[in-house]
Amino acid sequence: MLYRDLALFPLALALGAASLAAQGRGQCPATPRPTPPVRSAPTSPQGSVPGTGSPLASTPSTRGCGVPTPGSTPGTLLAEDTSWSVWWALNDDLLLDLRSHPGSGASTYGGSSFYLGKGERTTDPGTLPTRAEIEAEVLPVLRSTLKRDRSNIVQREALIALGRAGRALAPDVGETLVDDVLPYLQDPAQEVSEAAVLSLGILGHVKAISPLNAILSDSRAGREWTGGTEIPARMRAFAAYSLGLIGSTSENEDVRRHLVHHLSRAQDRDVSATRDTEVACLIAMAMMPLDDDGTSFEESGAQVASASRVGQIRLLRQLFESPFHDRLARAHAASSLGRLLEELPPQRRDELKRDVVPPLLKALGGEASETREVVQSVVLALGALLDWDADPQDEDIRSALMRLPRTEADRHTQNFALIALARGSVRPGSSPEKGARAETRSHLLARLARGDVEERPWAGLALGLQVHQSPKLSAAPADVALAVRTALAQATSPMETSGLCLALGLMRDTSSSDALGKLVRTSGSDLVRGYAALGLGLQGARDQGDEVQSALADSGRRPFLLEQLALSLALLESPQTLPRLIDHLADARSLDGRTAILSALGRVGDRRALAPLLATATRGSTVAQTRAQALAALGRVAEPTRFPWSAAFVPGANYGSPTETLFDLQQGRGVLNAR
């Protein structure tokens, strides 16, 4: 079994395990219930998915419950897959927070500043490779690999790893790394040239801005950099995302304003049929919020986007309200609006919400004729704007989100609404909290009790997130924990059981640790065993460490289970995790097994992993896929930040209605597919 993209491997493992578990119990991962008609745009001609240009024929054929049929790739992500496992796979780096001490308290998951550049902390420096080690051991291997290894997937991963490792180094070294990457913009292999564009953004050096701007605008200079004629829309979109990465970490306001200027110009001029470039520009702009000058919409007049935060918000609101723009552009303009407003101080956020919330709520109204893509993103935006106070705007948002299970058929919209409510209920407002948290909790408990087999784990995860995100709660209220434990005991499918295990982990319900430990020990589903172990890790249940260690010792030929067990032990700070993984790597015989072990080594992140990773990456007898995964893991270990570079794209991301460069459901070559 060959996964076409290594970055998709963890997602493919999770969905593959979920599908197999469903088959083993004779149940679908989700059982649809009768619902009103789904609001959606008509299908484009020539059998393509609207807004993506992705041929329908490339979507694997499936039987009933989304299980790939013979001839399709097991574990392939499907466009209609609305299970919680996709959301988890995109958010687990942020929620597990492996590079921080598991007992350090609740994270601030959900806010844009939580991800990259602003207030970020890293793990204990003693566990990270030093700058000297990176320059002396890692960079030579990456440079040598780029020059000598002719495998496209190996070169691609070497370029990305070079960007990740370069973030740890001094600016003068970063400048030389930009020079190392630039020639690969002309590589004839699309995946290599696109990786070179992303590598420049990951490096984050200002020297990369000029070529990236030129590529984005498809200028004569850009065509000289890429060695071609017209620059493909995909490459231009990746240039926009890379500019977003640079802007997200820059503390220089002039640099951010310069980038917003070029992104807004490119968005306005783009006429690409796929809309990848326009959507990428909108997302990138929201990754670099400009300073807020305190002006209102009326006072700012016709202020351009690069002038201030209000200028950015004005542009996105105008685009969202324009009926002439592509629906995907309008959708991602909405979610980007939420991101720009989310991190403002509560009182200032409330001032600007008065001009932003009404058109968003209108899109959810029963008389609205919006497409499902726009409605999904509106829900995500409202989740970023909602806070815990009782002002009329927040009451209207909360009420609209709570009505969605009864009025909206689209599963993504329903599921996003549960997460949005949880996040908003613990976000400080401009006045004290007066019952919003309890009201939201009651709603989520009702969905847990009354929802179907797909909705129940979403409701559980939202309840877990409400606790996990709140700095004032060390554990779930007793009634909430009891309700989720009861739902776990009554769960009817491996998918439902697994999601509720994670929910109990997020809410740090140590009273359930014995039940989760029993599932690790006795369940016949690798999906359940793996996520039960992760639940234990999130709880910090060290008394269950022996159960997890024992399971890891016997998991060498079960790649999905092995990786989840390793991550659990990392959360539990087990000193045996890394040696066990290295032993497993030496003994692994299957491609899937080696890939899972290497992925776990990268995500655990420890300088002691450098030697086996370097050896695997440079061993000539090793197959290209394994060398590539070793390079990917090497880059993650060397990356100095708390979260991987791709985490910058997660806040507000509408993966339910993506462009191919944002989240590629077939080949895994979008920025959200990266680990």
Side-chain angles (χ1 to χ4, degrees):
M1 177 170 55
L2 175 63
Y3 292 89
R4 295 196 63 183
D5 193 275
L6 292 167
L8 188 61
F9 184 76
L11 281 168
L13 282 177
L15 288 220
S19 295
L20 291 172
Q23 293 180 77
R25 292 283 294 270
Q27 300 177 26
C28 295
T31 303
R33 64 178 185 269
T35 52
V38 178
R39 296 185 289 192
S40 63
T43 303
S44 298
Q46 287 90 42
S48 63
V49 178
T52 66
S54 178
L56 291 174
S58 67
T59 302
S61 57
T62 60
R63 296 192 189 96
C65 53
V67 179
T69 58
S72 64
T73 303
T76 300
L77 289 172
L78 306 178
E80 296 304 316
D81 195 303
T82 56
S83 71
W84 60 265
S85 60
V86 181
W87 175 85
W88 176 263
L90 295 176
N91 286 270
D92 67 346
D93 276 319
L94 304 164
L95 293 169
L96 297 178
D97 200 3
L98 287 162
R99 290 201 170 187
S100 293
H101 190 281
S104 60
S107 73
T108 53
Y109 166 78
S112 298
S113 67
F114 178 66
Y115 298 88
L116 292 175
K118 302 187 184 344
E120 176 182 293
R121 60 193 172 141
T122 58
T123 189
D124 177 3
T127 68
L128 291 175
T130 64
R131 287 186 177 183
E133 287 173 323
I134 293 173
E135 290 193 52
E137 300 177 35
V138 178
L139 291 188
V141 167
L142 297 177
R143 284 168 163 155
S144 174
T145 298
L146 285 170
K147 291 177 181 177
R148 299 177 184 176
D149 200 312
R150 305 322 303 163
S151 165
N152 290 340
I153 62 170
V154 171
Q155 288 204 325
R156 183 187 71 208
E157 296 304 329
L159 285 164
I160 297 298
L162 197 70
R164 300 175 97 157
R167 301 176 74 186
L169 304 176
D172 59 327
V173 180
E175 186 172 356
T176 65
L177 294 179
V178 171
D179 292 332
D180 289 336
V181 172
L182 286 172
Y184 294 91
L185 295 172
Q186 299 187 17
D187 196 280
Q190 179 185 357
E191 59 188 314
V192 175
S193 59
E194 290 176 356
V197 174
L198 281 175
S199 180
L200 292 173
I202 298 167
L203 274 167
H205 197 282
V206 292
K207 185 176 181 179
I209 291 175
S210 180
L212 289 172
N213 276 336
I215 293 169
L216 173 61
S217 62
D218 191 18
S219 66
R220 179 181 299 177
R223 295 180 182 189
E224 290 176 358
W225 283 114
T226 58
T229 52
E230 182 179 1
I231 300 176
R234 281 183 58 89
M235 183 173 278
R236 294 177 59 207
F238 284 127
Y241 288 131
S242 285
L243 291 171
L245 287 170
I246 294 173
S248 72
T249 57
S250 175
E251 298 181 359
N252 188 318
E253 177 74 358
D254 290 333
V255 169
R256 295 198 299 273
R257 291 181 62 183
H258 171 82
L259 296 175
V260 170
H261 168 72
H262 281 275
L263 289 164
S264 60
R265 285 184 60 193
Q267 173 272 321
D268 187 52
R269 291 200 309 248
D270 182 68
V271 293
S272 166
T274 66
R275 314 311 292 170
D276 271 83
T277 307
E278 183 174 17
V279 168
C281 288
L282 298 174
I283 292 171
M285 272 192 282
M287 291 167 63
M288 54 185 89
L290 300 177
D291 288 346
D292 177 31
D293 59 8
T295 59
S296 66
F297 274 86
E298 293 75 17
E299 293 169 339
S300 65
Q303 200 175 71
V304 296
S306 58
S308 70
R309 180 88 61 97
V310 172
Q312 292 176 286
I313 294 169
R314 177 186 293 278
L315 172 66
L316 292 172
R317 189 189 69 170
Q318 289 174 344
L319 198 157
F320 169 71
E321 293 185 287
S322 170
F324 305 108
H325 271 84
D326 176 84
R327 70 185 183 286
L328 280 179
R330 293 182 59 235
H332 290 279
S335 51
S336 296
L337 266 173
R339 183 164 185 173
L340 284 174
L341 284 158
E342 181 177 12
E343 293 302 317
L344 288 169
Q347 186 170 352
R348 176 61 170 157
R349 186 174 63 238
D350 284 348
E351 292 173 9
L352 295 178
K353 278 163 61 174
R354 287 193 281 269
D355 293 288
V356 173
V357 169
L360 294 175
L361 286 176
K362 184 179 178 182
L364 295 187
E367 72 283 356
S369 57
E370 289 292 359
T371 64
R372 64 182 174 86
E373 296 91 344
V374 171
V375 173
Q376 289 167 7
S377 286
V378 165
V379 169
L380 291 168
L382 292 174
L385 299 177
L386 179 64
D387 57 51
W388 67 27
D389 60 26
D391 64 52
Q393 290 181 96
D394 290 306
E395 293 285 7
D396 289 345
I397 294 172
R398 198 172 293 113
S399 176
L401 293 176
M402 288 182 179
R403 286 196 305 268
L404 283 174
R406 300 190 302 272
T407 62
E408 182 57 51
D410 177 57
R411 280 289 194 172
H412 280 302
T413 302
Q414 295 173 5
N415 300 336
F416 290 166
L418 296 176
I419 299 299
L421 284 164
R423 292 180 57 200
S425 69
V426 293
R427 181 178 294 113
S430 55
S431 58
E433 195 268 337
K434 294 181 179 179
R437 187 180 298 151
E439 181 185 5
T440 300
R441 185 183 305 133
S442 295
H443 175 77
L444 296 175
L445 285 170
R447 301 319 308 163
L448 179 69
R450 301 171 193 164
D452 63 17
V453 70
E454 179 174 350
E455 187 179 17
R456 288 194 293 269
W458 276 101
L461 287 165
L463 287 164
L465 192 61
Q466 192 180 39
V467 177
H468 182 80
Q469 193 178 342
S470 175
K472 294 185 177 181
L473 292 176
S474 59
D479 61 327
V480 173
L482 177 61
V484 179
R485 289 198 298 269
T486 301
L488 176 66
Q490 298 172 349
T492 59
S493 75
M495 279 292 287
E496 183 181 4
T497 300
S498 299
L500 294 171
C501 286
L502 291 173
L504 290 166
L506 288 172
M507 62 181 62
R508 299 183 286 276
D509 177 43
T510 54
S511 296
S512 63
S513 61
D514 286 343
L516 298 189
K518 182 178 180 181
L519 288 172
V520 172
R521 185 173 66 254
T522 65
S523 174
S525 164
D526 282 1
L527 187 81
V528 171
R529 295 181 70 197
Y531 285 134
L534 272 188
L536 291 171
L538 285 163
Q539 292 174 356
R542 296 188 182 182
D543 59 319
Q544 298 292 327
D546 289 344
E547 292 283 5
V548 182
Q549 282 282 9
S550 177
L552 180 66
D554 299 325
S555 64
R557 296 186 180 182
R558 310 171 90 160
F560 172 80
L561 177 60
L562 184 149
E563 182 168 0
Q564 309 315 306
L565 293 169
L567 298 181
S568 173
L569 289 169
L571 290 169
L572 296 174
E573 298 186 310
S574 168
Q576 296 301 315
T577 306
L578 195 72
R580 283 279 178 88
L581 286 174
I582 293 172
D583 289 343
H584 275 304
L585 181 62
D587 296 336
R589 295 294 177 262
S590 71
L591 176 61
D592 286 354
R594 288 192 297 270
T595 299
I597 297 164
L598 290 166
S599 176
L601 283 170
R603 296 183 69 189
V604 169
D606 191 301
R607 62 192 299 182
R608 293 172 295 169
L610 285 181
L613 292 176
L614 288 166
T616 304
T618 56
R619 190 177 297 124
S621 59
T622 305
V623 297
Q625 292 92 331
T626 299
R627 298 200 307 277
Q629 185 63 47
L631 291 168
L634 191 63
R636 182 64 186 109
V637 172
E639 195 169 19
T641 50
R642 182 176 172 186
F643 302 110
W645 63 272
S646 55
F649 299 101
V650 171
N654 184 358
Y655 66 84
S657 298
T659 58
E660 289 180 350
T661 53
L662 178 63
F663 187 48
D664 185 345
L665 294 159
Q666 277 75 46
Q667 298 187 36
R669 293 180 183 173
V671 290
L672 284 177
N673 298 101
R675 302 296 296 209

